[in-house]
């Protein structure tokens, strides 16, 4: 009975689990989000348009306010302002009305409205201008165009212009470009560019500062201003303050002193400017001017139509793309459902995730086929390796049963030898099975490699002498290593046995050990027959022998090197082999010094 919750191999997937349905759901979600984002963008665009229109309204209001403040600064009353109001109205499309501060009409761009808005748009007063609408206005609020008694007569203007041109010529001769600007009072001034320190030095040479001296008209006006300032200061019992041509005190002043200066200046200029007036800027219908935005039903239908079109196109594209994506997945599913013995491949038609999946499936199929071949070969090798000792034991027992062999001590020793060989093969297979299952138990402890390797060499020295092979050791001082001494002895012993077995009489087998940074290297080198380069990748395969004609007695069980690799990897190390056929073969075990932590967790 199949496990509960498991998908049937040949059943159709539930609709909710279909990749196509999930892709459609994701696409619909994306489409809805896209439509929502489009709507948000449209709202933002509309808001931006409204803000631009509001900006235009503010710009028009600022233009109206600037024009009227400039008019008030240059005229003593509002009697001739109507033509200017009409020009402003034609340019901005607004209805403009001026009234006194008690709301009595003064002038209008058209018919004076009987019902004005509750709040005025602004107060038009050149002596108390709004810095937010007129950036050029200073902190005292006096519009720079309100010059009053400081307006220069023609004679003084000509004199100052002549001096400015003379100074400009001097500066040009010194390599400085200087421009000439003229203020509302008719006073010219020089505009220089470059380093200020050099400007000052060149200005002193050319006498630029002569242009800052007040004229007769300006002196009279300044004397009157300073008289008004002195009177205000005396009334408040404050220290005297003198005001220069730039209307700034010649020393640092307190807030009450500055108020006296500002009040005196307004008092001096008041007779020369128009009286304050309330400004009302409205629509032609008389309502307060404000931007508006109307989304008609036709525009609404267009927005809805575009949104629906986007949704339909998204669904169509999604269905097409989803179908193409599902097709190779179905091919993979069909290939996976076939019998494992067929090892089918699927064509890789794309270079995307699906193509990578198909390539991975083909690779998996190939690996499974190789593993199946290896499994079959291993079963055959195991059967072959076990058949020989079993056949020998059976032959001797049958001979004894038939009376052809005597059950003496030699007979029992022969059977025991074959049983031990059989047990050795079974033990090796058991070790490999434990390593494959992750159940290989290690018991690490600090050990001295010199003592361990000397012990292993001593144990194999007799076999080497019998085979006519010289066994030497070359062991350097290495750090204390945490490892399982029995397993490490088994690994090195397998390599030594293998090296002695494949080294002809007169050859040399060398057991060495050295440190390389954080790694300890144990090497077993022999001067035997060597291994061909094509055979090196298969050296650690199970039941593999370089010479297929070798028997179990002469060539070992074919499991020794496989066991060595498993034991070394269990210690967190690696094993490698290099060989020159007919000259030398070197097996190297690389074990990390700090492998104790990994071993304790096993």
């Amino acid at each position: 009975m199949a496990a509960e919750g498991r998908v049937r191999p040949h059943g159709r997937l539930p609709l909710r689990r279909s990749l196509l349905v999930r892709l459609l759901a994701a696409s619909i979600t994306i489409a809805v989000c896209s439509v929502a984002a489009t709507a948000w963008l449209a709202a933002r665009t509309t808001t931006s348009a409204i803000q631009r229109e509001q900006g235009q309204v503010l710009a028009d209001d600022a233009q109206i306010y600037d024009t009227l403040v400039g008019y008030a600064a240059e005229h003593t009353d509002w009697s001739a302002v109507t033509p200017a109001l009409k020009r402003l109205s034609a340019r901005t499309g607004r209805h403009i009305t001026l009234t006194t501060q008690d709301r009595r009409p003064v002038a209008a761009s058209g018919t004076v409205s009987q019902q004005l808005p509750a709040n005025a748009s602004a107060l038009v007063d050149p002596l108390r201008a709004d810095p937010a609408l007129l950036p050029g206005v200073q902190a005292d609020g006096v519009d720079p165009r309100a010059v009053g008694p400081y307006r220069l007569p023609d004679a003084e203007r000509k004199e100052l212009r002549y001096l400015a041109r003379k100074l400009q010529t001097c500066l040009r001769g010194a390599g400085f470009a200087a421009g000439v600007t003229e203020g509302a009072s008719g006073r010219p001034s020089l505009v220089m560019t470059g380093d200020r320190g050099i400007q000052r030095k060149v200005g002193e040479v050319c006498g630029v500062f002569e242009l800052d001296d007040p004229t007769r008209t300006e002196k009279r006006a300044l004397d009157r201003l300073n008289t008004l300032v002195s009177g205000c200061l005396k009334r408040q019992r404050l220290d005297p303050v003198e005001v220069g041509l730039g209307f700034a005190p010649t020393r640092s002043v307190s807030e009450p002193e500055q108020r006296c200066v500002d009040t005196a200046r307004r008092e001096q200029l008041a007779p020369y400017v128009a009286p304050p007036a309330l400004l009302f800027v409205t629509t032609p219908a008389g309502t307060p001017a404000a931007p508006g935005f109307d989304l008609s039903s036709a525009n609404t239908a267009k927005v809805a139509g575009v949104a629906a079109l986007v949704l339909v196109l998204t669904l169509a594209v999604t269905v097409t793309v989803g179908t193409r994506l599902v097709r190779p997945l179905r091919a993979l599913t069909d290939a996976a459902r076939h019998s494992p013995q067929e090892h089918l491949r699927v064509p890789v038609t794309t270079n995307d995730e699906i193509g990578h999946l198909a390539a991975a499936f083909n690779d998996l199929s190939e690996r499974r086929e190789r593993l199946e071949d290896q499994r079959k070969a291993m079963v055959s090798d195991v059967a072959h390796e076990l058949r020989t000792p079993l056949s020998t034991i059976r032959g001797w027992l049958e001979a004894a049963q038939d009376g052809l062999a005597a059950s003496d001590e030699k007979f029992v020793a022969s059977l025991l030898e074959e049983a031990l060989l059989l047990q050795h093969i079974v033990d090796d297979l058991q070790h490999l099975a434990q390593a494959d299952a992750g159940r290989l138990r290690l018991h690490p402890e600090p050990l001295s490699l010199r003592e361990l390797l000397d012990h292993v060499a001593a144990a194999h020295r007799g076999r080497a002498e019998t085979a006519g092979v010289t066994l030497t050791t070359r062991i350097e001082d290495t750090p204390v290593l945490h490892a399982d001494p029995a397993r490490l002895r088994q690994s090195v012993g397998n390599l030594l046995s293998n090296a002695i077995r494949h080294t002809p009489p007169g050859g040399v087998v060398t057991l060495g050990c050295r440190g390389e940074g954080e790694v300890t290297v144990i090497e077993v080198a022999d001067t035997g027959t060597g291994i061909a380069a094509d055979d090196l990748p298969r050296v650690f395969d199970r039941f593999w022998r370089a010479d297929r004609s070798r028997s179990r007695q002469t060539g070992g069980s074919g499991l020794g090197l496989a066991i060595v690799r498993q034991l070394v990897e269990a210690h967190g190390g690696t094993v490698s082999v290099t060989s020159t056929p007919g000259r030398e073969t070197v097996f190297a075990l690389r074990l990390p010094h700090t492998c104790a932590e990994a071993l304790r967790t096993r």
Side-chain angles (χ1 to χ4, degrees), residues 481-547:
L481 182 68
H482 284 77
D484 187 327
R487 297 298 188 182
L488 191 56
R489 241 187 332 261
Q490 181 182 0
S491 301
V492 178
N494 283 353
L495 293 179
L496 279 178
S497 297
N498 192 64
I500 294 171
R501 186 183 305 115
H502 292 85
T503 301
V508 178
V509 175
T510 304
L511 174 61
C513 177
R514 68 179 186 278
E516 288 185 358
E518 297 297 325
V519 176
T520 297
V521 181
I522 301 173
E523 290 184 342
V524 176
D526 66 70
T527 59
T529 56
I531 304 172
D534 294 340
D535 293 333
L536 285 177
R538 303 185 57 195
V539 165
F540 298 100
D541 290 349
R542 302 170 186 184
F543 295 109
W544 182 86
R545 298 186 183 90
D547 186 356

Side-chain angles (χ1 to χ4, degrees), residues 114-448:
Q114 298 299 323
Q115 291 185 347
L116 294 173
N119 297 320
S121 300
L123 175 65
V124 181
D125 184 359
L127 303 183
R128 290 178 177 81
D130 187 355
L133 296 176
L134 294 178
V137 175
Q138 297 180 356
D140 58 5
V142 178
D143 189 276
R145 290 168 292 188
V147 294
Y150 298 92
R151 190 180 302 278
L152 300 179
D154 292 340
E156 292 181 358
R157 292 190 183 192
K158 290 180 181 179
E159 183 179 349
L160 290 177
R161 288 171 184 168
Y162 173 77
L163 178 60
R165 287 194 296 271
K166 180 180 176 181
L167 295 174
Q168 187 180 26
T169 302
C170 177
L171 291 173
R172 288 178 179 174
F176 276 87
V180 179
T181 61
E182 191 170 294
S185 65
R187 162 174 283 279
S189 60
L190 293 173
V191 180
M192 301 173 59
T193 59
D195 184 81
R196 290 187 177 274
I198 300 178
Q199 287 181 18
R200 188 175 184 83
K201 292 181 180 180
V202 176
E204 291 176 354
V205 173
C206 293
V208 171
F209 304 106
E210 297 178 8
L211 195 61
D212 297 334
D213 296 336
T215 64
R216 292 181 297 276
T217 301
E218 293 171 333
K219 287 180 180 179
R220 287 195 300 271
L222 285 175
D223 291 341
R224 172 60 180 163
L225 176 61
N226 282 305
T227 300
L228 294 173
V229 171
S230 297
C232 177
L233 294 173
K234 286 180 180 179
R235 287 192 297 273
Q236 300 186 33
R237 297 180 180 182
L238 298 173
D239 295 335
V241 174
E242 184 177 356
V243 179
L245 188 58
F247 307 111
T250 56
R251 66 173 177 83
S252 299
V253 295
S254 63
E255 185 175 351
E257 292 171 339
Q258 183 63 48
R259 281 200 300 267
C260 278
V261 174
D262 296 341
T263 301
R265 191 179 177 202
R266 293 191 184 96
E267 183 180 353
Q268 183 185 27
L269 295 176
Y272 299 93
V273 299
L278 296 178
L279 171 64
F280 295 89
V281 180
T282 62
T283 63
T287 58
F293 186 82
D294 181 23
L295 186 63
S296 63
S297 57
N299 289 333
T300 303
K302 288 181 180 179
V303 172
V306 171
L309 180 60
V310 170
L311 185 60
V312 171
L313 290 176
T314 302
L315 290 176
V317 172
T318 302
V319 170
T320 303
V321 174
T323 303
R324 296 187 61 183
L325 289 176
V326 170
R327 188 180 300 119
L329 294 179
R330 289 175 177 169
L332 286 170
T333 303
D334 293 340
R337 286 175 176 172
H338 279 75
S339 173
Q341 287 75 22
E342 297 186 20
H343 303 295
L344 295 181
R345 309 290 193 273
V346 294
V348 181
T349 58
T350 59
N351 192 24
D352 53 12
E353 291 81 359
I354 302 299
H356 294 170
L357 177 60
F361 177 85
N362 292 338
D363 182 61
L364 178 62
S365 181
E366 291 176 1
R367 282 185 291 166
R368 189 175 67 175
E369 186 175 2
R370 288 196 301 269
L371 289 176
E372 182 66 18
D373 293 340
Q374 292 176 0
R375 184 188 65 81
K376 293 178 180 179
M378 183 175 179
V379 170
S380 176
D381 289 337
V382 169
H384 174 74
E385 296 296 332
L386 296 180
R387 183 184 298 113
T388 301
L390 289 175
S391 298
T392 302
I393 293 174
R394 178 182 177 182
W396 281 104
L397 291 176
E398 288 178 349
Q401 186 179 26
D402 295 338
L404 300 178
S407 300
D408 54 9
E409 183 178 352
K410 181 179 180 181
F411 174 82
V412 174
S414 177
L415 292 181
L416 179 60
E417 180 182 358
E418 294 298 326
L420 291 175
L421 290 175
L422 183 62
Q423 182 65 42
H424 176 67
I425 295 174
V426 173
D427 290 342
D428 287 346
L429 290 174
Q430 185 179 15
H431 289 159
L432 291 174
Q434 290 176 345
D436 291 338
R439 298 195 304 268
L440 185 62
R441 294 295 178 182
L442 298 179
H443 302 282
E445 61 183 56
L447 55 88
S448 171

